[in-house]
Amino acid sequence: MSKPTPLSGFPEWLPQQRLIEQEILGRVRRTFELYGFAPLETRAVEPLDQLLRKGETSKEVYVLRRLQADENDTSDAALGLHFDLTVPFARFVLENAGKLQFPFRRYQIQKVWRGERPQEGRYREFYQADIDIVDRDTLPAHYEAEIPLVIGDALSGLPIPRVTVQVNNRKVLEGFYRGLGIDSTEDVLRQVDKLDKIGPAKVVELLKNQGLSEAQATQVLKLAEIKAADSSFADQVKQLGVSDPLLDEGLEELVRVVDTAVAEKPGLIVADLRIARGLDYYTGTVYETLLEGYERFGSISSGGRYDNLATAGKDVFPGVGISIGVTRLLAILFGRDALTASRSVPTCVLVAVNSEEERPRSVAAAAALRRNGIPTEVAPSAAKFGKQIRYAERRGIPYVWFPGESGSVKDIRSGEQVDADAATWAPPQEDLRPIVSGTA
RNA sequence: GUGGUCGUAGCUCAGCUGGUAGAGCACCGGGUUGUGGUCCCGGGGGUCGCGGGUUCAAGUCCCGUCGAUCACCCCA
């Protein structure tokens, strides 16, 4: 059999990378729980009509089909892999509304699938770490201010470059456009979103091609260029002289989000009135998160408020949430060797073997160490000690244990060796587990 | 899904206008008859992504395909 080749868009990490990924996922999870989000996992598939109902246009959904499915068997025909965690969550809320307490806050860390053309930082299978808060009938606006704080906490605790959460509000954009007499909001947003890439002149041109007047296009551009780290953006908007109730409502909400962030975590947030992205179910605040130095890879964490995602008859569950694109984050940092683990295995101690006859003594020492929670493995063979030490060195294992009448343990980084008892010895806390650190 | 660029040992790459594969690092062994990381000596490893075509002859040209990457689309 010839050597297998990778599958485009389905990244697989090496153990040392997976070690880092697990460490990151663990820290993110603990931060989510620190804020009281409850754990949840939903199935990988959803009925296709559910998936297509909101948001996703289509072709990007992977459909599930049995290999031997009968032509007439339609039982699985309408299932697709979820492309995010918000849509499945909305479904879950509706399904279990009677068993949940509202407001309901949950986190969900799972893989999602999208049938897109892969490139660096965009994959067909990737992890999302998602938090959402939903309430019944109405959702207080303060939750929209809380979300970025959680993300800021989760990400700033990691050994990664600084992040900035960019916020905007759909109501500001829609209200402003409406005040200008524009009704093709979606199309306008799409062009405005290209501002960074193609520049203001071309955006205006594209807008005019869409039927906007010179004046309208100019105003749209002026709004998009507003950006501020505090609530001063609101005055700048008002100076443009457009008035609309929805615009005012949006501004008020956005000011609140920004003010909260400025008070709690200065420097985390910036109001940027050009950002409009996210799936089309967003109705209020929207978030995007950029990694300093890696802006060209786009957002590593996005989300927003949605009022109509979870609705069934009279029941309405408005929500707000955000997702961290863990795989994207890791891939772009791995790509530049910006994340490293102090070792490639969990092992803290390698117990040397004097001779195969004496292996039981090594096995016993290892067992004693493990009883104290120290990850330990026994050397693969009774090779020369130099080779056994090298086995540890190659993997970054910090300690080698030499069993004997009185055991001794060597820190192979310093070369220091001391007599020790396997039943009581313990490494410094920081050596117990691999340490993940940033090098950027 | 559309279009462009790229694809030689584990890694970084060399290989002129086609003539039957090389370096550095890494790895393995020995010097060092049981405590590594230096140094010296030696060694293994590539169907040149894969498949087909042109040619006496292809890593080198052509087509396809897979993979990586970029742009569009869209988005974590």
Side-chain angles (χ1 to χ4, degrees):
Chain A
M1 183 178 145
S2 58
K3 189 177 175 182
T5 54
L7 256 186
S8 187
F10 295 85
E12 294 181 309
W13 304 138
L14 290 169
Q16 52 256 54
Q17 298 174 313
R18 173 61 176 159
L19 211 55
I20 293 170
E21 180 172 64
Q22 281 187 316
E23 183 64 27
I24 303 279
L25 289 173
R27 290 204 215 174
V28 166
R29 178 170 60 79
R30 284 192 293 278
T31 303
F32 288 169
E33 292 185 350
L34 199 55
Y35 282 79
F37 290 87
L40 183 70
E41 174 158 311
T42 59
R43 63 201 184 204
V45 294
E46 294 293 332
L48 215 45
D49 56 346
Q50 273 285 336
L51 291 174
L52 301 179
R53 192 169 59 93
K54 288 288 179 182
E56 222 39 26
T57 32
S58 59
K59 48 198 181 170
E60 297 186 350
V61 174
Y62 279 106
V63 179
L64 201 68
R65 189 165 59 84
R66 272 200 313 151
L67 199 53
Q68 299 190 33
D70 185 295
E71 298 261 324
N72 305 315
D73 175 11
T74 54
S75 59
D76 288 338
L79 295 182
L81 292 170
H82 57 224
F83 56 82
D84 75 359
L85 299 176
T86 308
V87 169
F89 170 60
R91 184 228 91 218
F92 182 90
V93 167
L94 290 175
E95 197 173 315
N96 297 282
K99 302 167 191 161
L100 303 173
Q101 281 89 47
F102 294 92
F104 177 51
R105 38 209 287 142
R106 79 88 180 83
Y107 72 88
Q108 209 169 324
I109 301 176
Q110 289 179 240
K111 285 198 169 165
V112 304
W113 295 267
R114 289 182 195 174
E116 292 185 284
R117 177 72 129 237
Q119 42 182 270
E120 188 172 20
R122 335 179 39 178
Y123 303 99
R124 304 222 232 228
E125 178 180 67
F126 58 96
Y127 270 111
Q128 282 198 166
D130 189 293
I131 49 171
D132 282 273
I133 303 167
V134 293
D135 206 344
R136 194 187 287 272
D137 302 323
T138 59
L139 178 77
H142 61 80
Y143 288 125
E144 286 163 75
E146 180 180 9
I147 292 288
L149 296 181
V150 183
I151 289 305
D153 216 351
L155 295 178
S156 65
L158 303 176
I160 61 172
R162 211 170 67 88
V163 298
T164 307
V165 180
Q166 304 180 302
V167 289
N168 195 357
N169 192 301
R170 283 276 173 92
K171 291 178 188 172
V172 170
L173 299 173
E174 280 180 45
F176 189 87
Y177 297 164
R178 204 166 69 186
L180 283 173
I182 302 169
D183 42 53
S184 53
T185 308
E186 290 283 318
D187 296 330
V188 172
L189 288 181
R190 195 159 299 135
Q191 306 311 332
V192 168
D193 194 52
K194 297 176 183 168
L195 188 53
D196 278 328
K197 284 183 181 173
I198 64 177
K202 287 194 175 162
V203 169
V204 169
E205 195 179 317
L206 286 170
L207 289 173
K208 286 198 286 188
N209 289 345
Q210 277 183 0
L212 300 211
S213 70
E214 175 86 43
Q216 285 175 321
T218 304
Q219 286 284 67
V220 165
L221 183 69
K222 278 185 181 166
L223 181 76
E225 286 179 328
I226 293 173
K227 188 174 182 174
D230 55 38
S231 55
S232 64
F233 68 87
D235 289 331
Q236 295 182 53
V237 174
K238 283 168 189 159
Q239 278 166 22
L240 295 179
V242 176
S243 74
D244 181 274
L246 190 61
L247 170 61
D248 294 338
E249 196 180 315
L251 284 176
E252 201 175 306
E253 290 174 4
L254 193 52
V255 163
R256 179 162 190 175
V257 171
V258 172
D259 280 346
T260 302
V262 167
E264 282 298 314
K265 268 197 179 264
L268 172 66
I269 260 194
V270 52
D272 190 330
L273 304 200
R274 80 181 60 182
I275 82 141
R277 306 200 288 178
L279 276 354
D280 61 10
Y281 47 66
Y282 295 126
T283 51
T285 309
V286 289
Y287 316 99
E288 245 179 50
T289 310
L290 295 181
L291 243 199
E292 194 167 51
Y294 298 86
E295 291 82 358
R296 77 175 185 89
F297 291 100
S299 176
I300 55 153
S301 178
S302 309
R305 172 170 180 138
Y306 44 89
D307 287 316
N308 309 312
L309 194 53
T311 60
K314 287 178 194 164
D315 289 329
V316 182
F317 299 91
V320 59
I322 192 165
S323 241
I324 300 174
V326 178
T327 305
R328 164 174 293 179
L329 174 64
L330 292 174
I332 62 183
L333 292 175
F334 285 161
R336 276 140 204 84
D337 290 321
L339 272 179
T340 55
S342 57
R343 57 183 110 128
S344 61
V345 292
T347 315
C348 176
V349 179
L350 175 75
V351 179
V353 176
N354 286 318
S355 66
E356 285 306 326
E357 294 72 54
E358 293 173 84
R359 178 173 288 273
R361 196 202 314 233
S362 299
V363 170
L369 291 166
R370 291 187 194 116
R371 273 193 289 277
N372 292 326
I374 303 165
T376 305
E377 60 180 296
V378 179
S381 73
K384 291 182 185 175
F385 284 148
K387 286 194 187 166
Q388 298 195 43
I389 290 170
R390 196 158 61 178
Y391 175 96
E393 190 199 3
R394 291 283 145 77
R395 293 164 177 73
I397 299 169
Y399 297 98
V400 175
W401 190 278
F402 295 98
E405 295 312 320
S406 68
S408 67
V409 62
K410 178 184 183 113
D411 181 336
I412 64 173
R413 296 162 300 188
S414 63
E416 202 177 327
Q417 185 167 342
V418 297
D419 287 347
D421 181 351
T424 57
W425 179 84
Q429 183 65 29
E430 64 268 24
D431 286 337
L432 212 47
R433 298 161 48 75
I435 293 173
V436 174
S437 53
T439 56

